[in-house]
Amino acid sequence: MEIKSVGVVGAGQMGNGIAHVMALSGYNVRLNDVRQEALDDALALITKNLDRQVSREKISQTDRDGALGRISTTMDMAAIGDSDLVIEAATEREEVKHKIFESLAPHLRPETILTSNTSSISITRLASRTDRPEKFMGFHFMNPVPVMQLVELIRGIATDVDTYDACLAVVNKLGKTAASAEDFPAFIVNRVLIPMINEAVYTLYEGVGNVKSIDMAMKLGANHPMGPLELADFIGLDTCLAIMNVLHDGLADTKYRPCPLLTKYVEAGWLGRKTQRGFYDYRGEEPVPTR
Ligand SMILES: CC(=O)CC(=O)SCCNC(=O)CCNC(=O)[C@H](O)C(C)(C)COP(=O)(O)OP(=O)(O)OC[C@H]1O[C@@H](n2cnc3c(N)ncnc32)[C@H](O)[C@@H]1OP(=O)(O)O
Ligand SMILES: NC(=O)C1=CN([C@@H]2O[C@H](COP(=O)(O)OP(=O)(O)OC[C@H]3O[C@@H](n4cnc5c(N)ncnc54)[C@H](OP(=O)(O)O)[C@@H]3O)[C@@H](O)[C@H]2O)C=CC1
């Protein structure tokens, strides 16, 4: 089955990036969220990012106009039901995702492929609560979506070959590269990356370094484009904590215990860039370390 239309549920930082790249590659996109403000913000950000791509001569004005013309937004879940492919990119909480799949079910065509952009949650478990485990899989983009080359494709135990092939064809059309990962907690990238970030938070918690020295050390000492704490703020501290909890619970190993300092930041609502405060305070001209 050839995918032509894509429904994206959740218009946060990942949802808007997914809508952006899908529309630019010619797919008709319906973007859904529970808040109109999130949809308005997403569309404004997509427009800004497309404009920047035009000004840097990465795309033409016609590409930009075409992409924007292919994106529509809706708070009505029913309106995305006739999409060929649905990508769920809402908050990293399993119950939220189950509820979304339940409310989508009555509106989906039987042949629609249902996927989740989850960073860590079992695809098999998410699939088992839908009416189409064989047409369900993980479609995991990296942040920022317009820039990062990789998409992890994760099959649940029941995912059929046609579903995988159809998703792989989409990744290829986007000009991105797929990595196939088995369905174990946090898959490949986050199994390696998020414990590294969690260890950086321990390094801070134990006073081995401060925010600035830890980030500088990893940027200059390991050639990472962002320091681990800067990257944690970029991903979202709630998402980092949720992934650590999935690793801790799913692999039942204390080496994955989330750092209490990470938990404290999340409890404070200091979730990183998206709330203007995390390991850095972003409310001024320059980010200022909070420790
Ligand atoms: C949590 C999960 O489930 C999985 C994950 O996603 S883990 C996170 C994975 N992501 C990373 O590790 C990102 C690490 N950071 C980086 O690679 C780089 O810092 C970065 C690409 C984000 C920015 O790179 P930089 O060189 O510092 O900045 P800059 O020169 O301004 O940007 C490079 C390009 O990215 C674009 N860009 C930067 N941030 C962007 C954003 N948020 N959205 C869209 N485009 C963006 C810029 O426009 C620029 O594009 P051009 O090359 O066309 O000019
Ligand atoms: N951040 C990252 O670097 C990456 C994240 N991911 C994954 O992508 C998903 C989204 O993450 P991210 O974009 O960062 O999160 P954000 O917090 O930026 O966005 C999530 C969005 O989903 C909305 N939402 C919540 N519940 C619903 C619902 N029932 N229906 C529709 N929309 C809903 C939220 O609304 P509200 O604000 O009102 O709650 C918010 O707008 C998660 O599963 C995450 O693990 C994957 C790769 C990278």
Side-chain angles (χ1 to χ4, degrees), residues 145-218:
V145 180
V147 179
M148 304 298 284
Q149 186 60 29
L150 187 80
V151 177
E152 274 182 302
L153 291 180
I154 309 109
R155 269 172 283 211
I157 202 165
T159 311
D160 66 26
V161 174
D162 290 349
T163 299
Y164 182 84
D165 289 348
C167 289
L168 182 60
V170 174
V171 176
N172 291 338
K173 188 166 165 187
L174 294 175
K176 295 196 184 286
T177 306
S180 182
E182 291 301 319
D183 184 23
F184 289 101
F187 323 124
I188 298 173
V189 171
N190 288 332
R191 171 81 177 261
V192 178
L193 181 68
I194 305 298
M196 187 276 289
I197 287 176
N198 190 51
E199 202 58 33
V201 185
Y202 269 113
T203 310
L204 177 67
Y205 178 62
E206 291 169 7
V208 183
N210 60 28
V211 169
K212 226 173 158 179
S213 61
I214 292 166
D215 275 351
M216 187 187 64
M218 292 307 288

Side-chain angles (χ1 to χ4, degrees), residues 14 49 52-53 56 58 119 140-144 146-148 189-190 193-194 225-226 231 234-235 239 243:
M14 295 307 290
N49 285 335
R52 192 175 50 206
Q53 286 178 301
R56 297 195 182 178
K58 302 269 161 148
S119 295
H140 184 210
F141 287 88
M142 306 295 135
N143 185 15
V147 179
M148 304 298 284
V189 171
N190 288 332
L193 181 68
I194 305 298
M226 287 176 167
L231 181 56
F234 181 62
I235 292 168
T239 303
I243 298 168

Side-chain angles (χ1 to χ4, degrees), residues 12-14 33 35 90 92 97 117 119 141 143 235 274:
Q13 53 182 340
M14 295 307 290
D33 201 282
R35 282 182 306 119
E92 186 73 345
K97 295 183 187 297
N117 186 51
S119 295
F141 287 88
N143 185 15
I235 292 168
K274 64 183 165 188

